[in-house]
């Protein structure tokens, strides 16, 4: 079966123009390349009054405990319905493993560009180190370098793109992403329970828990108000689990038409509902627009694990959830269309509403 990414036409930025390298250059000159200047940052500022906008916190240990599960399940459902984002604590991912993956990822991005380029994304490719979805020479660019890898199913892994330095990376990354898939599966099951649908009906769309991981490196920029780390978007998947590698914040979400900053809890996973889950739940769960901003003094590093649909499949509202409010679409077509419209916020998702 064809990979939907094969039909996406992409012009990748030359790796000599890695954002990390540019950031080092402008630290002295002060000139940000025109392609990275984002005027929309000023047009859509963060709301000043964000006191009432604290992300819900869900405790996995309470979900798993029969004594507290019902109460915590209600909180989970409310978070998915009203926020589309929540912070997951006591998630069960081994603490030592989390510390090691943070150390390995930090070490990789500290390598010279020449060494990182050993796993560079090839022309028209998806996996490796570099940039994604640069469709034209006029397109504005995000202030981020990334390492993008397919992790599940195992047979889709391209290990030649997995960094050899640090030497512990591959083993740590394999174990860490496996634990994340287990967390995602547990959450899908609890969501099915909250929705009152058959577990297999929901999990069937994500059979085998296909997973891709994007590791983001956001260099600091003294003129942070002129650049954008990640353009406003929703995730065209089922669910995303985000780990902050360091304590630098930068995630912002759009709620009730306003942008506000997320303060990630130490050790927590920030979980967000993707477009596919919004469609499957017939709009009950929400896929929320989000973006990343830049710190003027410190680098920010995150690991985002995307849990995708199992292809081939069709994507549409589950029958148990009433009259359909979204169209049914082929999974391959949905995936191709998502990446072609990735920089357009919620517009692509909205196009499926009936």
């Amino acid at each position: 079966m064809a990979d939907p990414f094969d039909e996406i036409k992409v012009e990748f930025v030359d790796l000599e123009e890695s954002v990390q390298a540019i950031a080092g250059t402008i630290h002295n000159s002060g000139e940000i390349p025109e392609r990275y200047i984002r005027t929309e940052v000023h047009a859509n500022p963060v709301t000043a009054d964000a006191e009432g906008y604290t992300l819900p916190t869900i405790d996995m240990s309470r979900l798993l405990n029969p004594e507290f599960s019902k109460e915590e399940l209600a909180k989970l459902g409310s978070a998915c319905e009203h926020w589309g984002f929540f912070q997951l604590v006591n998630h069960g991912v081994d603490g030592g493993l989390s510390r090691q993956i943070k150390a390995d990822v930090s070490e990789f991005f500290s390598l010279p560009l020449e060494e990182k380029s050993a796993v560079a994304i090839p022309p028209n490719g998806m996996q490796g180190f570099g940039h994604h979805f640069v469709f034209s020479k006029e397109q504005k660019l995000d202030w981020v370098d990334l390492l993008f890898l397919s992790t599940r199913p195992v047979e889709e892994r391209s290990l030649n793109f997995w960094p050899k330095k640090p030497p512990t990376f591959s083993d740590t990354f394999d174990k860490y992403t496996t634990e994340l898939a287990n967390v995602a599966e547990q959450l899908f099951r609890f969501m099915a329970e909250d929705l009152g649908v058959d577990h297999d009906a929901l999990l069937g769309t994500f059979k085998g828990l296909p997973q891709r991981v994007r590791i983001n490196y956001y260099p600091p920029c003294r003129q942070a108000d002129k650049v954008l780390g990640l353009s406003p978007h929703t995730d065209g998947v089922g669910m995303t689990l985000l780990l902050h590698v360091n304590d630098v914040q930068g995630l912002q979400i759009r709620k009730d038409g306003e942008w506000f900053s997320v303060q990630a809890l130490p050790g927590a996973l920030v979980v967000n509902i993707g477009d596919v889950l919004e469609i499957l739940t017939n709009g009950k769960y929400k896929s929320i627009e989000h973006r990343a901003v830049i710190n003027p003094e410190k680098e920010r590093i995150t690991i985002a694990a995307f849990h995708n649909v199992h292809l081939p499949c069709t994507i549409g509202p589950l029958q148990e959830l009433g009259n359909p409010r979204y169209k049914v679409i082929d999974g391959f077509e949905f995936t191709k269309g998502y990446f072609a419209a990735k920089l357009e916020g919620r517009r692509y998702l909205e196009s499926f509403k009936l």
Side-chain angles (χ1 to χ4, degrees), residues 68 86 95 101 107 140 205 229 270 294 298 303 307 315 329:
F68 304 109
F86 58 88
I101 192 61
E107 184 173 344
K140 292 293 187 177
T205 308
V270 179
I294 299 303
K298 299 178 181 179
I303 303 172
H307 296 88
I315 299 170
I329 186 172

Side-chain angles (χ1 to χ4, degrees), residues 18 31 60 64 71 74 88 98 101 108 121 124-125 165 184 214-215 233-234 237 239 252 273 288 291 323 338:
S18 80
E31 293 295 327
M60 179 69 88
L64 294 168
E71 178 184 350
L88 186 68
S98 295
I101 192 61
F108 171 76
I121 301 172
N124 297 318
K165 292 184 179 181
R214 172 175 162 146
I215 305 172
H233 66 287
T234 57
V237 297
M239 182 195 308
Q252 297 181 346
I273 302 301
I288 299 298
R291 67 185 183 185
N323 293 329
Y338 170 77

Side-chain angles (χ1 to χ4, degrees), residues 69-121:
S69 184
K70 184 177 180 180
E71 178 184 350
E72 203 68 15
L73 188 65
K75 288 177 60 180
L76 173 65
S78 176
C80 295
E81 184 174 349
H82 300 292
W83 286 84
F85 267 83
F86 58 88
Q87 304 207 52
L88 186 68
V89 298
N90 295 321
H91 41 67
V93 177
D94 180 76
L97 188 58
S98 295
R99 288 189 292 274
Q100 187 61 53
I101 192 61
K102 290 179 179 182
D104 286 351
V105 164
S106 298
E107 184 173 344
F108 171 76
F109 281 106
S110 71
L111 295 172
L113 177 60
E114 181 179 348
E115 294 191 50
K116 292 195 288 282
S117 298
V119 292
I121 301 172

Side-chain angles (χ1 to χ4, degrees), residues 7-32:
E7 297 183 29
I8 300 174
K9 304 301 181 184
V10 181
E11 175 234 330
F12 287 106
V13 176
D14 191 308
L15 278 181
E16 292 181 0
E17 294 184 358
S18 80
V19 178
Q20 191 174 7
I22 292 171
T25 301
I26 70 166
H27 187 76
N28 299 317
S29 70
E31 293 295 327
I32 299 174

Side-chain angles (χ1 to χ4, degrees), residues 251-306:
L251 174 63
Q252 297 181 346
I253 74 172
R254 193 170 196 170
K255 179 172 170 58
D256 302 327
E258 301 286 343
W259 288 100
F260 82 95
S261 299
V262 171
Q263 297 298 314
L265 299 173
L269 292 171
V270 179
V271 182
N272 68 278
I273 302 301
D275 296 352
V276 173
L277 206 49
E278 176 169 328
I279 294 172
L280 287 174
T281 64
N282 208 22
K284 183 172 183 180
Y285 287 1
K286 302 298 190 294
S287 180
I288 299 298
E289 196 173 348
H290 51 287
R291 67 185 183 185
V293 296
I294 299 303
N295 188 287
E297 302 293 338
K298 299 178 181 179
E299 66 186 13
R300 177 173 179 254
I301 309 175
T302 62
I303 303 172
F306 305 103

Side-chain angles (χ1 to χ4, degrees), residues 126-234:
M126 284 295 299
Q127 298 192 64
F129 168 75
H131 301 260
H132 274 174
F133 314 117
V134 184
F135 295 102
S136 71
K137 293 182 179 180
E138 294 75 32
Q139 181 181 330
K140 292 293 187 177
L141 300 179
D142 292 337
W143 193 258
V144 62
D145 291 327
L146 62 90
L147 177 64
F148 187 82
L149 300 170
S150 290
T151 48
R152 294 173 65 92
V154 173
E155 55 269 23
E156 289 187 7
R157 292 180 176 180
S158 296
L159 296 178
N160 51 313
F161 293 113
W162 291 39
K164 303 298 187 292
K165 292 184 179 181
T168 52
F169 180 92
S170 290
D171 183 60
T172 305
F173 191 63
D174 173 53
K175 292 176 180 176
Y176 178 72
T177 55
T178 297
E179 290 209 15
L180 288 185
N182 292 336
V183 172
E185 182 175 17
Q186 287 180 310
L187 286 174
F188 279 133
R189 292 188 181 279
F190 283 119
M191 289 173 182
E193 186 175 344
D194 170 67
L195 292 163
V197 300
D198 181 71
H199 289 186
D200 293 336
L202 182 62
L203 281 166
T205 308
F206 309 102
K207 182 180 178 182
L209 292 169
Q211 181 192 67
R212 289 185 171 95
V213 177
R214 172 175 162 146
I215 305 172
N216 303 294
Y217 179 88
Y218 303 99
C221 180
R222 287 185 174 178
Q223 301 176 64
D225 60 339
K226 294 183 178 180
V227 297
L228 195 57
L230 199 56
S231 299
H233 66 287
T234 57

